[in-house]
Each structure stands twice: as structure tokens, then as C-alpha cells.
Amino acid sequence: MKNKRRMRCEHFLFALTLLPLTQVPALAQDQADTEAVEDMVVTASRTEERAIDVPITTEVITRDQIEMSGVNDIGDLIGKYVTGHYHKYSGILSPVGLRGFKTDSHGSDLNGYVLLLIDGHRVGTGNAAKLNLDRIEKVEVIKGPSSALYGSAAMGGVINLITKKGDGELGGSIGGEIGSFDYYRGQASMGGEVNDKIRFFASVSGETMDDYDTVDYGTAYNTGVDKINVGGNVVYTLNDAHAFRLGGNYSDLTSESPDWAGDTYSYYDSTTEQDNDKSTGYTDLEYNGDYLNGVLHWKAVFYYLWDKNQWNTGTIDPESNQTKYIDQTLGTDHQFTWKINDWNTLLAGFTLDSLEKESSSVVNYQPSMPYTPGLDYDNQAVFLQDSLDLLDNRLNILAAVRYDRFDVTTKEAETGTYENFNERSEDYSHVSPKIGVGMKFLDEMLRVRANMGEGFKSPTASQLSADYYHSSTGMHYLGNPDLDPETSMTYDVGFDVYLEGLTFKADYFTTDYEDKIVDETYDDNGVSTTTYVNHGDATISGFEFSLEWAFSETFNLPFAGSFWSNMSFNTEKEDELTGEDILNVSDYEIKSGLTMGYAGFQGQLSHSLVGPQMIKNWDTYLTEEKDSFDYWDLTLRYRFMEVWEVKASILNIFDQDYEWVMGYPMAERNYRIGLTYNF
């Protein structure tokens, strides 16, 4: 009976998704506005430039693509549009990856190999599921090492979230959405120019969903989520030369935690009540000033980041057993851009970061030792970049280098008593270079480019300076102060073709990954001891292609229509230590879509295909191949009476059984429909 009721509900929602089609006018009117990929980018060079003038390929996800994606967080957005890697668990946990590297599996900002930024500075987490899309104007994705400008963790690349600043007339929106699995969402936003000096954008949203059903397994128990997001920006323009921006966001994020019956990895236990709190937030103050008649520009950012990960795992009372980690970061980033002449721009700057991790645990209502102790992490960095635009801007050269110094300390946790805890501090430094060259031909219809750069990841405090005995594991953890950072050297070449209505990009890259840090356990006078060593290299190579074709422009059609496809093929991904494939790196990924618009109607059909990859099976602790999978989504939007908008999505249209991570099957076919009033 429950399934029949659910089917009737889904059929009703499906009928509602078709309702806008019945209201499309029969005669052609003005084409629907479909937002093209923005020509200006900022992440690759830290300054706003035309994309074609920066010899580093930047993939841009526009606001229109965000709205037509049918998803609400950065993780699902990356999974839909960007090839590289997506690792989606049930609940609120989604590491994302680029070119064989990914953010930390548990969301730690410091432990990842891909860097998440917001408006150019660290966002404070590696968990992309924590970052909602209400305030995001566009997303810029840089594939390949970016440590020369952004430091540690930027080995695979950088994903920069650029927020709305309130451009244009004052206005706002309020709307709601319902969907399968008791999904409800409410949202309100407002922004625009108050006067010639003040503009702002603010938004608030709430979202909830119950346990979802899968195609073959049934109900995935303990997968419900509750989210509240509030944030915004206020920009004050003092005059033509000086402006300030105050921004921030807070996300109250709670979800249930799936558990497995009898410790079997792939079977959900409906009787075990678990939940977690993964709230996160930040605030930042940015200054932009022009000096010497615009020859010199100073950008300064001050930021505070806060990130919480708390797991309540008691069988009867979830709070009886819990583990909590809170990261707090104070930082500032300054860059000075000197336009020496029309063809030479010099950028110099520095970054200061100070992070403190607090860790605590409760076992049977009593304070206990968490698995990971606390830490202090201080980073001081200086960077320099020279940008040359030669031969009437046909030849573009970008060279950068960064020096980082780190001071790390392993600290006792807030709870529990460690045996023989030795609080140690270690420091080290690293230099990261990068150079890129681009050449334009045929009146900028063709560009050829090449890049070479190094990425690195800092060792963690535990890997460098731990020295304590953990009674619950019976293990002595001993850091290695002689560790080198993990590094990667990447070489890539490519070309871009720009024709009327069509853009095609092709890349070949190869990465030498060196000094991988692994743990080693040995017996020290009867005490099991774990330490860390640089041991093992890897090679990752492949091709990447991108196609965007506005075919309605090519054929002068009376409606808007475009096709896009992003593809990656990893031809080599060998771990030289084991001689086997690197785990969690697919052989190929193809993510494509078709967008159509006519009058007030717009629709997008998207398809994601992820190839096979080697994984660790946590049932057997053996390495095995995970099969390829694919799924389709459809989003429809209709705007009417100038102020109303109805939007509907069918996710997993063909009811395909798939999972990004083994043991975490994704939802069956499901529906969402919403109504928004714009004012």
C-alpha cells in the first residue's frame, strides 16, 4: 500500500512537471535568455581577465547552469558538470576531485588534494555537500596544480565559488519546492543597488528530506537531512577607486548516519539511530583599492572560517557516544597588482593562515579520547606572478612562484587522558613554481597553449609531530619530522577552437606524483607503533575534451538551443608502489546536456556516464573493480506573468541503479516541483 501511495504521488508530480509545456505560446517570440559561459575569469591568475588571455583552461559553471541543474549543493553540481571525481555518501558528505586527486574523504580542509575556495580564499572545508548554491553566481574550476598561487592542497586543482554581490536593480524572490521522499525546501532572497554607493545580496533557505528509496536495495535507512542556510554580501563603494565588501554564510546542517547490519558494509540497519552535525560558516571583509591612477591595485581579504563535524553514534541515545571536531581559522590574503605597461602586469602578495582544531569525545556519557587529537596549523606564504601579453596580445605568458612556511603542533584533545602525550611542534617550507604559454591565431579563433606546474600537499600535524599512546587502539602514534610534502609535477598541452556559436577545447596532461605519505606500523619493544614515511610514486595521464555548441545560433533557429559535453579519459593511472591502478579514479567520464528555450520556457536534459574504477571493498578489505554507471536528469522551467516561475525536475529519469561509492546506492527516480515569486 505504501508503494502504491508513493507511485500515485510520483505520477501526480510527474504530471505537474508537464504543466508548463501546455502553456508555451504557439508562435515564436523573443528567444529565452540562456546565459553563455562568461568571458571574464579570475581564479587562474588571481586577477579578472578575459578567459582567452589566460593560458590556463578554466571551466565555468554559470548561474543559469546552476539553476537548471536540479541540485542544491556544490558536490552534486560538480558531479553533474565537471569530470574528475565525485565521491557521494549518504547524508551530508561529498568529496570532489580533479585529475586523480580529491578533497579529504571526511571533509578536512587541510587533508585534501583539491582546494575549495569562496571568493578567492579557503572556504574552510573539503566537504562540497556543505556548500549550498543560493548565493553562488558562478563556479570556476581550474584543473591541474595551482599551488604557485594558492599553496597546499591545490595538487589536482582549485574550485572557486564566486558569490552574488547585488548588481542591478533592487529585487528579490520567495519560493518553495516539494518532492519525493518528503522533500521540502523554502527560499527567500533580496538584493540590488540601494544607491550609487551601497549594493547587497542576502538569502535564506531551509531544506529537509526523509530516508530515500533505492532501485534494488529498498529504503536506505538513516539518510535524512535537514539544512538551514543564511548569508549574504554588502558592498560599499567609497568612490571610483575604493570599495569594501562584507560577506559571510552560516549553514546549520544535520543528517542521519547510515549504519550497517552486523558490520556488513552494504546493508543498512533500520534500528540503529545515529545522527551528525556538520554545520559550517565563514565571514570575510574585502577591500579593493586603485592607486596611481589605476596603475596599482590592492586587494586585501580578512576571513574567519568555522567548521564542525560531530557524530552521535549511541545505539539507544545517540548523544551517549559522540565524537566532535571543530576547526577555526583566522586568515588574511593580500595581493598587489602593478600594471607596468600595456603588455606586462606584475602581481605580488602574501597569505597568513592560523588554524586550530579542537577534538573531543564521549563514550557511555563519559569524556573520552577522540581518535584524532587537536592541532595548531600556521601558514605564512608569499607569491609572485608576471603576466606578459606580447605580439599585440596574441602571445600570453603567465609565470608564478610561491613560498610557503608551515608551523604545526599536535595538541591533546579537549577530553580524555592520553598516556605519554608529548606535545611537539615542527616546521618546514616549500617552493611551488608554474608557467603557462598561450598563442592565438586566426583572429582569436584558435588558441594553442602549454603549462608546467608543481602542486604540493602539506603533511598533517599528526604525520609530522604526533607522539602519544592511544589506549583505545593500543597504538603508539609517532610523527616523522623528516617528512617531505607530497608533490606533483604536471605537464599539459592543448588547443581551443572558437567559432560562432561553438567552442571546442582539448587537453593532454601527464602528472608525476611523488613522495606519497603512507603509514607504517612496527613493533617497538612490544608496543605497536605507527609512523609515517614518504613511500611511493604514481603517474596519472589523460585527455580532456569540452564542447559547447549553441546550434540555434549556427542554424538561426527561432528558439534557443545548445549542447554541451565534458569528457575525460585517463590513459594511465598507475601506483608505482603496487603496480596497480590508483584507487577511485575512473577510466573515463562523460557529462553532457541539451538545453532548449522558447518564450518563457526552458528545459535541460543531462546525462552523466562514469567509467569503471578500482576501489577498496570494505566488506572484504580487497581491491576490486567497480563497474561503470550512468543516469539522466531533466529540469524544466517556465516563467510567466513576468514575476512567476515554476520549475520541476525528474532526477534519475530511467530509474537506474547506481552508486558513486560502493555501499551507498543513490535514490530511485524522484521528482521535485517548485514555485517562485520574483519581485
Side-chain angles (χ1 to χ4, degrees):
M1 183 63 68
K2 176 183 177 182
N3 289 336
K4 289 182 179 179
R5 285 198 303 268
R6 189 182 72 246
M7 290 176 64
R8 287 198 296 269
C9 178
E10 291 174 349
H11 292 162
F12 173 70
L13 288 173
F14 180 72
L16 287 179
T17 66
L18 299 180
L19 182 61
L21 291 174
T22 67
Q23 304 183 46
V24 177
L27 299 177
Q29 299 179 15
D30 294 337
Q31 293 187 4
D33 293 329
T34 54
E35 187 176 352
V37 172
E38 303 231 358
D39 190 43
M40 305 299 291
V41 295
V42 66
T43 311
S45 64
R46 274 182 169 254
T47 57
E48 189 174 60
E49 299 187 57
R50 291 196 314 157
I52 198 172
D53 293 338
V54 183
I56 300 169
T57 299
T58 302
E59 180 178 340
V60 178
I61 305 174
T62 66
R63 182 63 207 176
D64 193 66
Q65 290 175 302
I66 292 172
E67 292 179 353
M68 295 302 295
S69 66
V71 301
N72 295 323
D73 66 63
I74 290 296
D76 285 341
L77 188 76
I78 297 300
K80 174 161 289 190
Y81 289 121
V82 180
T83 60
H85 182 75
Y86 186 39
H87 218 65
K88 181 179 176 66
Y89 296 89
S90 303
I92 305 173
L93 180 57
S94 299
V96 293
L98 302 168
R99 289 190 174 180
F101 300 96
K102 66 182 180 68
T103 57
D104 177 61
S105 294
H106 297 288
S108 171
D109 181 33
L110 299 180
N111 293 349
Y113 298 81
V114 169
L115 189 57
L116 293 177
L117 306 175
I118 192 157
D119 289 327
H121 64 75
R122 287 177 179 265
V123 71
T125 180
N127 182 358
K130 290 187 174 187
L131 308 173
N132 91 314
L133 298 170
D134 293 341
R135 301 174 51 240
I136 306 305
E137 181 66 31
K138 67 176 181 177
V139 179
E140 294 185 357
V141 180
I142 307 297
K143 293 185 176 180
S146 300
S147 294
L149 290 179
Y150 296 103
S152 178
M155 290 178 69
V158 169
I159 300 172
N160 188 16
L161 318 179
I162 299 173
T163 61
K164 297 180 180 182
K165 310 299 192 301
D167 298 320
E169 295 182 359
L170 273 175
S173 67
I174 183 168
E177 192 175 10
I178 62 172
S180 305
F181 319 124
D182 293 325
Y183 172 82
Y184 300 96
R185 187 173 192 272
Q187 176 270 334
S189 65
M190 188 171 181
E193 298 175 1
V194 178
N195 51 45
D196 60 353
K197 290 186 177 295
I198 299 175
R199 54 193 169 99
F200 76 98
F201 181 84
S203 68
V204 60
S205 65
E207 177 184 338
T208 183
M209 189 178 78
D210 205 349
D211 296 344
Y212 63 80
D213 293 336
T214 68
V215 176
D216 290 338
Y217 177 76
T219 301
Y221 297 104
N222 298 316
T223 55
V225 298
D226 291 286
K227 303 179 180 180
I228 297 175
N229 293 279
V230 58
N233 284 306
V234 178
V235 179
Y236 175 69
T237 303
L238 182 64
N239 50 44
D240 291 340
H242 305 280
F244 298 86
R245 178 185 62 83
L246 178 64
N249 197 89
Y250 174 71
S251 299
D252 186 289
L253 308 172
T254 58
S255 67
E256 297 171 333
S257 297
D259 195 21
W260 292 275
D263 295 326
T264 303
Y265 181 56
S266 301
Y267 294 89
Y268 287 92
D269 182 359
S270 62
T271 63
T272 302
E273 296 184 14
Q274 299 188 5
D275 57 72
N276 54 58
D277 182 347
K278 296 186 178 180
S279 300
T280 191
Y282 80 93
T283 186
D284 59 9
L285 175 64
E286 178 181 326
Y287 164 75
N288 283 278
D290 289 327
Y291 299 86
L292 304 177
N293 294 320
V295 173
L296 181 66
H297 181 83
W298 175 24
K299 177 182 177 181
V301 184
F302 303 87
Y303 49 90
Y304 168 73
L305 317 175
W306 180 86
D307 191 54
K308 179 180 181 181
N309 289 285
Q310 177 175 329
W311 296 269
N312 298 329
T313 57
T315 303
I316 299 176
D317 179 2
E319 295 186 0
S320 64
N321 294 278
Q322 62 177 242
T323 300
K324 179 169 63 177
Y325 301 107
I326 295 179
D327 292 351
Q328 297 184 80
T329 302
L330 282 174
T332 185
D333 184 277
H334 298 255
Q335 63 183 55
F336 304 87
T337 307
W338 177 25
K339 193 168 183 58
I340 300 174
N341 49 47
D342 290 340
W343 53 269
N344 190 5
T345 301
L346 190 67
L347 181 145
F350 65 90
T351 303
L352 304 175
D353 269 329
S354 180
L355 179 146
E356 180 181 5
K357 177 186 285 291
E358 299 177 355
S359 59
S360 60
S361 178
V362 172
V363 175
N364 294 326
Y365 298 101
Q366 299 300 314
S368 180
M369 286 183 294
Y371 182 75
T372 303
L375 66 87
D376 283 341
Y377 171 96
D378 295 314
N379 175 213
Q380 307 90 38
V382 293
F383 52 88
L384 180 68
Q385 174 184 270
D386 197 11
S387 177
L388 303 174
D389 302 316
L390 308 174
L391 303 178
D392 292 329
N393 200 31
R394 292 194 299 274
L395 175 63
N396 306 112
I397 302 173
L398 195 69
V401 63
R402 174 169 168 139
Y403 169 82
D404 282 272
R405 185 182 186 277
F406 300 89
D407 297 277
V408 297
T409 303
T410 305
K411 302 178 65 176
E412 286 197 64
E414 302 292 306
T415 59
T417 302
Y418 291 85
E419 297 182 32
N420 303 318
F421 193 102
N422 180 18
E423 186 173 295
R424 295 195 302 165
S425 299
E426 300 292 343
D427 62 79
Y428 75 96
S429 59
H430 188 75
V431 176
S432 308
K434 184 170 186 175
I435 186 169
V437 179
M439 187 72 183
K440 303 193 249 339
F441 301 92
L442 304 175
D443 196 23
E444 297 191 346
M445 288 191 297
L446 172 67
R447 178 176 70 158
V448 179
R449 51 190 160 69
N451 287 277
M452 177 182 69
E454 183 185 79
F456 81 99
K457 176 191 171 297
S458 168
T460 67
S462 292
Q463 291 169 341
L464 280 171
S465 62
D467 186 3
Y468 64 91
Y469 178 81
H470 201 298
S471 58
S472 64
T473 64
M475 187 76 66
H476 177 211
Y477 294 92
L478 183 63
N480 179 3
D482 296 323
L483 278 178
D484 292 322
E486 299 178 70
T487 61
S488 67
M489 179 61 72
T490 298
Y491 307 86
D492 66 64
V493 295
F495 67 90
D496 311 318
V497 177
Y498 302 93
L499 302 175
E500 184 176 356
L502 186 146
T503 300
F504 177 76
K505 301 177 182 180
D507 290 88
Y508 170 77
F509 72 93
T510 183
T511 299
D512 296 322
Y513 174 28
E514 299 180 345
D515 295 321
K516 181 180 180 181
I517 298 176
V518 298
D519 58 271
E520 287 189 350
T521 300
Y522 61 94
D523 184 89
D524 182 14
N525 295 322
V527 178
S528 185
T529 301
T530 292
T531 191
Y532 306 89
V533 296
N534 295 111
H535 190 51
D537 303 331
T539 301
I540 307 169
S541 303
F543 293 90
E544 296 170 340
F545 303 98
S546 174
L547 173 67
E548 298 176 16
W549 180 26
F551 56 81
S552 59
E553 295 182 20
T554 304
F555 299 112
N556 195 27
L557 299 175
F559 58 87
S562 61
F563 171 80
W564 53 268
S565 184
N566 298 315
M567 298 165 276
S568 64
F569 302 89
N570 293 305
T571 57
E572 186 175 7
K573 45 178 182 173
E574 181 182 2
D575 187 322
E576 297 179 10
L577 179 64
T578 64
E580 299 178 351
D581 279 358
I582 299 172
L583 299 182
N584 304 313
V585 180
S586 301
D587 291 346
Y588 55 84
E589 291 189 7
I590 303 175
K591 299 177 179 180
S592 309
L594 176 67
T595 301
M596 305 285 285
Y598 177 69
F601 169 77
Q602 188 176 3
Q604 176 177 286
L605 177 67
S606 64
H607 177 243
S608 297
L609 171 62
V610 178
Q613 57 186 261
M614 299 304 295
I615 64 164
K616 176 67 69 70
N617 184 333
W618 295 107
D619 271 344
T620 63
Y621 288 85
L622 298 177
T623 299
E624 63 181 56
E625 185 176 78
K626 181 178 179 293
D627 292 337
S628 63
F629 66 87
D630 73 309
Y631 65 95
W632 297 77
D633 290 341
L634 174 66
T635 296
L636 306 172
R637 177 171 65 183
Y638 183 63
R639 293 171 173 167
F640 59 99
M641 298 176 62
E642 297 185 353
V643 295
W644 290 98
E645 175 184 303
V646 61
K647 185 166 68 173
S649 297
I650 311 175
L651 306 177
N652 193 8
I653 297 174
F654 298 108
D655 215 17
Q656 292 165 282
D657 183 27
Y658 73 96
E659 52 189 12
W660 294 97
V661 182
M662 182 179 178
Y664 294 86
M666 294 291 99
E668 64 185 8
R669 182 191 304 116
N670 60 101
Y671 308 90
R672 295 178 182 178
I673 186 167
L675 182 66
T676 300
Y677 173 70
N678 300 290
F679 56 90

